[in-house]
Amino acid sequence: MVKRIAILFAILLICCLAILGYFFQRGRKILFTDPYKTISLRACIVIETVDLQSFMNSLTTGKGLFGEIGKVSEFDSFNRKVKFLADQFNKPGFKKLLGDGSSLISLFPAQDGTLQPLLSLTVSGEVRTRQIKELLHSSGIKEVSERKLNGSQVIMIPFIVNTRPDTVYLSLLSGLMICSTSEKLIEEARAQTGGENDIRKQPGFSRVLLAAGKNEDKIFIVFNNLTNLFNSFLKVPGSGLAEMISRLAGTAGGDIYINEDGIVLSGYTDCKDSSDYLYRYKSLTPSEFHTYKILPSSTVLFETLILPPDKQLNISDTSVSKAVAGLADKLKEYLGEEITKAYIDIKERPVGDNTLIILELANRVEAEKIFLEELGPAKEIIYFAPDDQSIIPVYKTSFRGLIKVIMPGLSPGFDDTYYAFYDNYIISGSSYATISRLLYDNILNKTLANDLVYRDFESTLPSRAGYFFYCVPSRILDYLAGFLNDDIIKGLRQNKLSLNKIQAAGFQFVSSNGMIYNSLSVKFKEEAREESTTEWETLLDTIAAIKPFFFTNHTTGAKEIFIQDIKNNTYLINAAGRVLWKVPLKERINGSIYMVDYFRNGKLQLLFSGKDYLHLLDRNGNYVQRYPVKLRSPATNSISLFDYDNNRNYRLFIAGEDKLIYSYDKTGNVVKGWTPFRTSGKVMSDIVYFKVSGKDFLVACDETSVYFLDRSGKKRINLKEPVTKARGSAIRLSAGSDPFLVCTAPDGMVQQIYFDGSVRKFSLMKASIDHSFDFFDVDGDGFGEYVFIENGMLYLYDHNKTEIFTRKFELSHLGGPVSISFSASDRKIGVFDIDNKLIYLIGKNGETMNGFPLRGASMFSIGKLSDKSGWHLIVGGTDRFLYNYKIETEAK
């Protein structure tokens, strides 16, 4: 029987969080232990602390992992007891009582599967039972009694936790104080001190103890004493899994490091018996693993281990066909060093379908050649093709049992029907969906290697190992439900919010000094880990710097996404999320992007500007001739493009630092007949264009004035009174029999500017200079509404100047408002919470739309990626990914 290490350590990692609450809820124990000479061979867990007071305080700070445990109702009994003890140890009387030596907390398995605790600590030799009783009385504990136990005094302290009565037994012997909730353990501990076989006689215990840190808190696990404990956790007690855990090794130990970010245990495991499952890892050369680089970031559990150097196959397994055994034998020499079992979190799919086995290949070409030859001409192939340029074959085969021959015991019951080759790996799965998920996420570079949470966690463990296990506890409950009993799973599900704060847990070991050096890490963050709701996420070099732009593929008609990151790389990304090209630019794109038909042949290009240049890129990411074009003056605003007569004779307008407004044609030449218009101040907002009553109006705004120009750059209107546009205000046209433009002044005053030069002003609310304003039809009634954002509040007024709603957000730094129109009657207001990196869609009555808020770290765009795909929101994230959300427009 070979290792089922993923199951074993998944249980160890998750159950370490469930054990305490599960048993403490029964009121059966308190975390106590005693010195080594009082600990019998029966103990399964021993904790040594060099400073009991500090150790207890670290568990009761209310912060970090143990602070979160304190919020879980199942742990209430445990926390009350630990907090009571910590409070006592912090009292001056108890400080005098405690000696300078180490204190031990040992846990003993009971027949019913619970744990019984024993605390042992050194005390001054002058301490007597009378002094202990006086100290207890002075601490407020009045009900204290004592009696003889085999000729020795034992103090009994009754207490009640959650209405359940219990008793702590305390006894002194030769400079030691022992206490427990079990009278039998007190009796056993006293008898144990006269014997020779204490816990250090367990296989490997003394050696592991000597290798532990001298001034660190430590934990030791005696595996052969764990059987009853783990049988009580299992869905099917006596199934053999608990026995396998008890035969992992002799003893494991580790130094304990607790902080607000979690807990790390690092130390040694000793295996003296060749029948121990971890015995062979004592001689394996550690390696730097590679397979995680292709695992999707949705991987919630994986284990990677080194293949044995001799790569012995289980070809005698009669449950597999001779053809499968023969294929395994032929592939043997082309296998690499590692094999990985991974569980992918794919929603609404059976647990059994979400597992992959990945074999590293030393020679993919030869391995794939042999595989296809054995598969034969009648092979069944499903092509994974997320777009017209990415096609990867996935083979449905009769090679069931191939993995079992190559690595017996790795994944019992695994259905290795589907296979695919990717990079230097052969990937096997029980479903096409799981293999295609791995392939797709690799196309998007959405792998663990690029996942910030995983990379942060990985930094807590050594870089080289012989075995590596990783999991996200809150997302493997369905997987664990196949092994753990219903009470454990129910408790974990009920505390999913707390479990979500455990970002990751992992275990790693390497051979060292004739033993195994192991590291276990549990990463905690107060901010719970969120599950992604995106349809896909595509990795950029750095975070997105601009609002995404929907570009049309003139060949297929499909939509693509144009984006720039903060290093000024631009990307074109197709509807499947694959990066078609990446082109670095000299500068940051400033504002608006346009789709133009430069050659008037139906082929489309991307036009935009930065501070110093006009840019025009074709669909392949190449500059059109003459571009980039140097601007006459560094720009103070974004380019505006107008096609007056819809004949693709484009006119480009942009304002310079020299306070002149320039007009360029599509080739980048200054337009003849245009006289650069000089403004009083700098024009920071886009120049806009309106055609009213057959006349053209170009409108520009600086810090003090609004200018109406004709096509030649001459003033068309002189306003009858001063108008100043607020920097956060849009300027919009209200059409009708008497059309006018709408914008706000810096103080929030609404200004209606008519095309005869007259101006009407009115106030809807008091606003600061930092307010934002827009005017658009929110309710679909044909009339525009006035939309304000001011100091963390969203305000909506109808065309009759009546307030419709006021909506408060958590913080004051908001982007928007953005007009979103899904149909003539379905319109929304978009708001970006810049501080919390959240996006909201707000309906006409102030309600938040279904599925919102969504995570995002840039301004967003909403559109359709295809005629059939529905609506999608595209936004950059804080983790270098571009997010694609499929959105619902109905209200909650």
Side-chain angles (χ1 to χ4, degrees):
M1 184 180 295
V2 187
K3 293 106 186 124
R4 292 168 62 185
I5 299 175
I7 297 172
L8 308 185
F9 283 104
I11 292 173
L12 286 172
L13 287 168
I14 300 303
C15 289
C16 71
L17 303 173
I19 287 172
L20 296 176
Y22 182 71
F23 287 108
F24 289 179
Q25 187 181 18
R26 302 185 187 184
R28 303 244 180 204
K29 62 177 182 177
I30 304 175
L31 276 180
F32 296 149
T33 331
D34 64 324
Y36 289 109
K37 67 178 182 179
T38 65
I39 304 175
S40 73
L41 295 171
R42 292 194 312 111
C44 60
I45 298 173
V46 179
I47 299 172
E48 178 184 341
T49 173
V50 295
D51 186 340
L52 181 61
Q53 180 184 359
S54 296
F55 181 74
M56 298 299 288
N57 287 338
S58 70
L59 302 180
T60 57
T61 60
K63 298 179 180 179
L65 177 62
F66 290 97
E68 192 63 32
I69 289 174
K71 301 174 185 177
V72 177
S73 59
E74 287 83 356
F75 286 76
D76 184 61
S77 174
F78 162 65
N79 280 286
R80 288 176 183 270
K81 294 174 182 179
V82 173
K83 186 68 169 63
F84 170 78
L85 286 174
D87 290 344
Q88 303 312 310
F89 290 140
N90 286 326
K91 292 179 179 179
F94 278 92
K95 290 181 180 180
K96 294 178 181 179
L97 174 68
L98 299 177
D100 295 330
S102 296
S103 302
L104 300 179
I105 305 169
S106 55
L107 300 173
F108 293 78
Q111 287 298 318
D112 61 0
T114 61
L115 290 175
Q116 294 180 327
L118 183 69
L119 169 66
S120 174
L121 64 157
T122 58
V123 294
S124 171
E126 290 80 29
V127 174
R128 298 292 181 265
T129 301
R130 175 179 55 79
Q131 293 170 286
I132 299 293
K133 291 176 64 177
E134 290 174 355
L135 181 58
L136 292 171
H137 280 295
S138 66
S139 298
I141 302 174
K142 304 303 181 185
E143 295 185 39
V144 177
S145 60
E146 62 179 295
R147 70 182 180 85
K148 292 281 187 179
L149 179 65
N150 293 333
S152 300
Q153 292 294 115
V154 175
I155 297 174
M156 295 178 293
I157 311 166
F159 66 94
I160 296 176
V161 175
N162 295 338
T163 72
R164 302 189 63 172
D166 209 335
T167 303
V168 171
Y169 300 91
L170 186 151
S171 182
L172 293 172
L173 64 156
S174 303
L176 292 174
M177 182 173 72
I178 53 175
C179 55
S180 175
T181 52
S182 166
E183 185 177 10
K184 181 180 177 181
L185 277 184
I186 294 292
E187 185 176 4
E188 181 180 326
R190 294 190 65 90
Q192 175 66 36
T193 57
E196 297 294 328
N197 290 328
D198 61 42
I199 190 66
R200 287 165 289 195
K201 294 297 183 180
Q202 279 285 4
F205 196 103
S206 292
R207 194 175 182 198
V208 170
L209 178 61
L210 288 173
K214 301 304 179 185
N215 298 310
E216 306 293 343
D217 294 332
K218 301 174 270 292
I219 184 169
F220 303 96
I221 299 173
V222 181
F223 287 99
N224 62 15
N225 289 339
L226 292 174
T227 305
N228 286 344
L229 175 64
F230 277 96
N231 263 326
S232 68
F233 293 158
L234 297 179
K235 197 176 191 70
V236 184
S239 61
L241 188 55
E243 286 72 16
M244 291 180 68
I245 292 173
S246 70
R247 291 170 54 198
L248 279 172
T251 300
D255 298 339
I256 304 172
Y257 303 95
I258 300 174
N259 56 43
E260 292 184 18
D261 292 330
I263 182 170
V264 176
L265 308 178
S266 59
Y268 286 89
T269 297
D270 191 47
C271 309
K272 291 189 177 298
D273 193 327
S274 60
S275 65
D276 290 341
Y277 291 136
L278 300 183
Y279 184 84
R280 77 175 182 88
Y281 286 94
K282 292 171 63 174
S283 57
L284 278 181
T285 303
S287 176
E288 186 174 340
F289 290 139
H290 308 109
T291 307
Y292 77 92
K293 295 177 182 178
I294 70 163
L295 289 175
S297 59
S298 56
T299 302
V300 292
L301 179 151
F302 78 84
E303 62 163 344
T304 297
L305 53 153
I306 296 176
L307 288 167
D310 53 6
K311 297 185 176 67
Q312 292 183 355
L313 306 176
N314 188 24
I315 57 178
S316 62
D317 190 338
T318 57
S319 66
V320 299
S321 66
K322 291 183 179 179
V324 169
L327 174 59
D329 189 51
K330 292 178 181 179
L331 289 174
K332 176 180 175 181
E333 65 177 297
Y334 302 113
L335 297 179
E337 294 184 342
E338 60 193 74
I339 185 170
T340 296
K341 175 183 176 181
Y343 175 65
I344 315 298
D345 186 19
I346 304 178
K347 301 301 181 187
E348 300 178 357
R349 291 197 62 85
V351 171
D353 285 358
N354 291 354
T355 301
L356 295 172
I357 304 291
I358 304 170
L359 279 161
E360 185 183 38
L361 298 173
N363 188 327
R364 171 183 166 170
V365 173
E366 290 299 321
E368 191 168 7
K369 178 182 176 183
I370 291 170
F371 184 90
L372 295 179
E373 287 174 351
E374 293 295 314
L375 196 57
K379 53 184 173 287
E380 183 177 345
I381 306 175
I382 306 172
Y383 288 99
F384 170 70
D387 55 43
D388 55 0
Q389 297 180 37
S390 302
I391 302 175
I392 302 174
V394 178
Y395 306 100
K396 186 176 182 181
T397 77
S398 58
F399 294 153
R400 186 168 184 176
L402 177 63
I403 299 299
K404 184 166 59 172
V405 174
I406 294 173
M407 192 66 188
L410 177 64
S411 188
F414 176 65
D415 181 7
D416 46 350
T417 300
Y418 294 88
Y419 285 86
F421 288 84
Y422 182 79
D423 202 3
N424 290 321
Y425 303 92
I426 181 171
I427 304 156
S428 175
S430 55
S431 71
Y432 167 79
T434 310
I435 290 181
S436 62
R437 177 62 177 268
L438 179 143
L439 298 174
Y440 189 28
D441 283 6
N442 273 271
I443 288 173
L444 304 180
N445 289 312
K446 190 184 174 186
T447 60
L448 284 181
N450 294 316
D451 183 80
L452 295 181
V453 173
Y454 175 80
R455 287 167 56 190
D456 182 44
F457 168 78
E458 185 191 26
S459 67
T460 65
L461 295 171
S463 59
R464 297 174 66 83
Y467 173 88
F468 184 22
F469 172 85
Y470 165 87
C471 73
V472 180
S474 63
R475 296 171 65 184
I476 62 171
L477 299 186
D478 290 342
Y479 177 86
L480 291 176
F483 307 102
L484 303 181
N485 69 44
D486 293 341
D487 287 340
I488 294 287
I489 296 300
K490 180 181 178 181
L492 292 171
R493 292 193 195 282
Q494 288 175 342
N495 293 285
K496 187 77 177 291
L497 291 177
S498 291
L499 204 57
N500 281 339
K501 296 183 180 182
I502 300 177
Q503 305 287 296
F507 181 80
Q508 200 178 81
F509 56 69
V510 298
S511 59
S512 176
N513 300 322
M515 294 191 290
I516 294 172
Y517 182 79
N518 37 247
S519 300
L520 184 147
S521 177
V522 179
K523 193 74 173 177
F524 175 88
K525 281 194 175 180
E526 189 60 41
E527 182 179 342
R529 178 170 180 156
E530 296 182 5
E531 296 184 27
S532 174
T533 58
T534 59
E535 197 160 87
W536 52 250
E537 298 175 15
T538 295
L539 184 69
L540 309 177
D541 283 5
T542 54
I543 62 174
I546 65 169
K547 179 180 177 180
F549 177 77
F550 286 93
F551 178 73
T552 301
N553 182 325
H554 51 255
T555 303
T556 65
K559 288 291 190 292
E560 295 165 345
I561 300 157
F562 180 70
I563 191 73
Q564 185 182 40
D565 66 22
I566 61 173
K567 286 190 175 180
N568 296 337
N569 296 306
T570 58
Y571 307 77
L572 190 65
I573 299 167
N574 68 11
R578 185 168 65 85
V579 175
L580 301 175
W581 50 255
K582 180 181 77 173
V583 174
L585 299 184
K586 297 178 180 179
E587 59 182 354
R588 178 73 48 81
I589 297 172
N590 184 15
S592 302
I593 300 169
Y594 297 92
M595 189 163 52
V596 300
D597 183 356
Y598 181 89
F599 297 102
R600 300 185 183 181
N601 60 0
K603 295 182 178 181
L604 301 174
Q605 299 82 34
L606 291 152
L607 175 71
F608 49 88
S609 65
K611 183 177 181 180
D612 296 309
Y613 293 90
L614 296 174
H615 303 265
L616 185 62
L617 298 177
D618 66 19
R619 191 188 164 271
N620 296 316
N622 300 314
Y623 273 112
V624 173
Q625 58 191 10
R626 292 199 65 225
Y627 281 85
V629 173
K630 180 77 171 177
L631 294 170
R632 294 297 181 94
S633 174
T636 57
N637 68 348
S638 171
I639 190 175
S640 296
L641 178 144
F642 309 122
D643 185 2
Y644 296 131
D645 303 311
N646 294 319
N647 59 2
R648 291 167 286 185
N649 187 25
Y650 306 109
R651 290 294 180 261
L652 286 56
F653 293 87
I654 196 163
E657 290 183 351
D658 58 3
K659 301 181 183 178
L660 292 175
I661 297 175
Y662 294 92
S663 179
Y664 299 86
D665 63 20
K666 66 180 181 181
T667 66
N669 291 318
V670 174
V671 171
K672 294 179 180 178
W674 170 266
T675 303
F677 181 82
R678 182 174 295 278
T679 57
S680 298
K682 291 183 178 180
V683 175
M684 309 297 289
S685 58
D686 291 0
I687 295 164
V688 291
Y689 167 75
F690 305 100
K691 195 176 189 72
V692 178
S693 301
K695 295 182 179 180
D696 298 312
F697 296 87
L698 294 165
V699 182
C701 308
D702 61 19
E703 300 102 320
T704 59
S705 304
V706 176
Y707 307 91
F708 287 74
L709 310 177
D710 63 16
R711 289 193 188 185
S712 64
K714 295 182 174 61
K715 270 193 178 183
R716 187 178 281 279
I717 296 176
N718 287 311
L719 299 182
K720 296 178 181 178
E721 60 179 286
V723 173
T724 301
K725 186 184 78 69
R727 63 190 178 194
S729 171
I731 185 164
R732 303 296 184 189
L733 175 67
S734 177
S737 58
D738 191 10
F740 56 85
L741 299 183
V742 184
C743 65
T744 54
D747 62 357
M749 181 75 69
V750 178
Q751 303 169 125
Q752 296 179 343
I753 310 168
Y754 292 81
F755 290 89
D756 62 359
S758 61
V759 178
R760 295 178 185 172
K761 299 181 181 181
F762 58 89
S763 178
L764 293 174
M765 55 173 286
K766 290 184 178 181
S768 70
I769 195 172
D770 295 321
H771 78 273
S772 299
F773 170 81
D774 210 336
F775 177 80
F776 50 84
D777 186 1
V778 177
D779 55 13
D781 63 355
F783 297 97
E785 277 75 50
Y786 305 92
V787 189
F788 288 84
I789 288 178
E790 165 69 1
N791 195 28
M793 302 281 287
L794 174 67
Y795 300 86
L796 182 66
Y797 298 86
D798 68 13
H799 64 282
N800 292 319
K801 306 176 185 133
T802 301
E803 182 180 295
I804 299 175
F805 71 77
T806 300
R807 170 69 185 270
K808 181 175 177 58
F809 291 83
E810 182 179 345
L811 295 174
S812 61
H813 198 192
L814 301 178
V818 180
S819 173
I820 309 293
S821 179
F822 297 105
S823 68
S825 59
D826 186 7
R827 301 167 184 224
K828 306 292 184 290
I829 304 170
V831 177
F832 176 37
D833 182 338
I834 297 171
D835 295 306
N836 289 318
K837 304 294 188 292
L838 294 173
I839 298 162
Y840 293 82
L841 283 194
I842 307 298
K844 61 184 178 181
N845 296 316
E847 71 278 16
T848 300
M849 297 299 98
N850 271 340
F852 287 81
L854 296 174
R855 290 184 299 116
S858 70
M859 283 303 291
F860 57 93
S861 294
I862 294 177
K864 290 190 173 184
L865 292 176
S866 71
D867 293 337
K868 300 178 181 179
S869 66
W871 294 93
H872 293 259
L873 186 150
I874 311 297
V875 65
T878 58
D879 53 0
R880 301 190 296 147
F881 281 92
L882 186 71
Y883 300 159
N884 167 24
Y885 294 100
K886 189 169 184 179
I887 60 175
E888 301 292 338
T889 61
E890 297 299 321
K892 290 182 178 178

